[in-house]
Amino acid sequence: ARRRFQCRRCCAAGGFGIAELIDPFGTGSLRESILASWGSSPTRLREDSASEVDLVRGGYRDRLSTELAQNAADAAQRAGVPGRLSVWTDEAGALHVANTGAALDVSGVHALTALRASAKATADPGVGQFGVGFTAVRSASDEIEVRSRGGGVIFSAERTLTALRERDMTVPESGVPVLRLAWPTSTPPAAGFDTEIVLTPRPDVQAESFAGGFLDEAVDLLLELDALDSIEIDGVVVDCVRTELDDARVEIAIGSRTWLQYTTSAARWIVPMVDGLPVPAAPDVLRAPTRSDELLSLPALVVADVPMQPDRRRVLPGVSVAEVAHGYPDFVASLPASARVSFVPEVGFARSAIDGALRELIFR
């Protein structure tokens, strides 16, 4: 869709400046509606700014790699293609994160600009593309570009500030809400990928540190997100090969390491393999599907379909984990007889309320 926009400066000077832009997602009308809501309610502007700051400093702190990997996994799952994620820094110091899979669409743009909403509301509740977790990009950048097949969008603190000043709006003390106003971009993603996110780091942020964070978390992300087959960080490729053993069991090979995965109706139980035999995993956390703050003491990693709070750090209050626990004995029974006793949870103090509930149910 081609939309025609008047250039404010030229027209204000009496000229006929007309710029022809490609805006397939209708970001112009989105900006106008959001700016109009801020103009009629300065309180809403302050709330949007505070909400973005709270998400970055709170629930989505230290989750940049996790949230972008989740977006990539969901895109691959929706498109039914092998999931590939690539991370690199360019000569100018910008951080690039590219993935295969479903491209950005109108619902995705609306989710990105909504801040509190997600395009995954009616899809798989486990992983979603462009939900509020995308706010994690603000931990590194004030200038964010999403390039995709069919068009992209730019989020910019500088452009947002200019838009507010043009309308004589008061800038909140907490700063401008960067992820509310979007501008179109026609720059395509890198060759071989369907979507690419480009983050221009703030002066106090080192892009290399975020690329290194992806490398540190690559194995965990590949275990958690079974729609991802590989993660490449600055030329270093980490591949994941999954081999089905039967209807419930899958062997997972990442580099020189191997895991055994057992799938039940509500969870995936994963244990490392040593010399062809399963061995207990170290105490870990609940993964739903990525790492949460719920500490566990079980001798196996668990990736469970459990309702989580919006920041995906804690389980929602009152949620039952009975169905998750119900599959654990079947998992243990599937192991070689000599290994089973090692996977009976040890008696002791629970590491969290969820850990206590799971252990009690498993013992029963």
Side-chain angles (χ1 to χ4, degrees):
R2 289 187 174 273
R3 299 175 184 269
R4 294 165 65 99
F5 296 92
Q6 287 189 330
C7 172
R8 289 180 179 273
R9 293 179 181 175
C10 295
C11 295
F16 298 92
I18 299 293
E20 195 168 1
L21 301 177
I22 298 176
D23 188 16
F25 306 122
T27 60
S29 59
L30 277 175
R31 288 196 307 277
E32 287 301 315
S33 64
I34 293 169
L35 286 167
S37 70
W38 288 347
S40 62
S41 175
T43 300
R44 177 64 182 273
L45 172 58
R46 292 194 296 270
E47 288 177 346
D48 283 352
S49 175
S51 294
E52 187 170 291
V53 170
D54 289 345
L55 286 170
V56 174
R57 293 179 179 176
Y60 292 103
R61 68 188 186 280
D62 303 325
R63 288 183 67 89
L64 177 60
S65 56
T66 297
E67 297 303 329
L68 294 184
Q70 280 195 328
N71 288 343
D74 181 68
Q77 186 175 27
R78 291 189 184 200
V81 300
R84 292 190 298 114
L85 179 69
S86 183
V87 182
W88 70 94
T89 52
D90 63 25
E91 295 179 353
L95 179 67
H96 298 249
V97 183
N99 63 267
T100 55
L104 181 65
D105 57 16
V106 172
S107 64
V109 172
H110 284 209
L112 286 172
T113 60
L115 187 61
R116 303 171 183 84
S118 170
K120 65 186 175 185
T122 59
D124 177 4
V127 187
Q129 187 180 24
F130 302 128
V132 290
F134 187 77
T135 311
V137 299
R138 291 285 286 112
S139 64
S141 178
D142 296 332
E143 306 292 323
I144 301 105
E145 182 177 0
V146 182
R147 304 169 178 174
S148 195
R149 290 185 291 104
V153 293
I154 292 175
F155 297 97
S156 168
E158 183 178 356
R159 293 190 189 192
T160 300
L161 183 59
T162 298
L164 293 180
R165 287 174 173 170
E166 285 180 347
R167 300 194 178 212
D168 296 324
M169 296 184 191
T170 302
V171 178
E173 293 183 3
S174 53
V176 296
V178 176
L179 298 179
R180 291 290 276 128
L181 302 183
W183 283 263
T185 178
S186 58
T187 305
F193 295 94
D194 298 297
T195 300
E196 177 184 357
I197 296 168
V198 184
L199 306 179
T200 302
R202 291 190 299 273
D204 61 327
V205 174
Q206 295 293 325
E208 292 81 1
S209 65
F210 285 97
F214 271 99
L215 187 58
D216 292 340
E217 297 183 40
V219 172
D220 277 325
L221 292 171
L222 288 169
L223 285 175
E224 296 160 352
L225 303 169
D226 54 4
L228 284 183
D229 289 349
S230 71
I231 298 177
E232 179 179 356
I233 304 96
D234 283 332
V236 178
V237 180
V238 183
D239 286 321
C240 179
V241 179
R242 300 174 178 86
T243 304
E244 291 189 10
L245 304 178
D246 53 39
D247 290 343
R249 297 183 304 152
V250 173
E251 182 180 271
I252 303 174
I254 303 176
S256 60
R257 302 171 63 185
T258 305
W259 287 262
L260 177 67
Q261 173 180 284
Y262 185 90
T263 303
T264 68
S265 61
R268 290 184 282 133
W269 299 96
I270 304 173
V271 293
M273 301 285 286
V274 177
D275 296 329
L277 291 175
V279 297
D284 196 66
V285 295
L286 174 68
R287 300 166 188 245
T290 53
R291 296 175 64 86
S292 72
D293 290 346
E294 301 286 6
L295 300 176
L296 298 182
S297 63
L298 300 173
L301 308 181
V302 57
V303 182
D305 183 10
V306 177
M308 304 292 290
Q309 294 181 12
D311 60 13
R312 309 202 66 77
R313 288 183 177 270
R314 295 287 182 184
V315 173
L316 285 172
V319 166
S320 171
V321 291
E323 190 174 358
V324 175
H326 182 74
Y328 191 81
D330 293 332
F331 154 65
V332 175
S334 74
L335 301 175
S338 60
R340 291 173 192 161
V341 69
S342 300
F343 290 90
V344 176
E346 295 183 359
V347 176
F349 291 108
R351 301 183 71 210
S352 67
I354 289 298
D355 188 39
L358 273 174
R359 285 159 51 92
E360 177 65 22
L361 289 163
I362 287 172
F363 283 141
R364 289 182 183 179

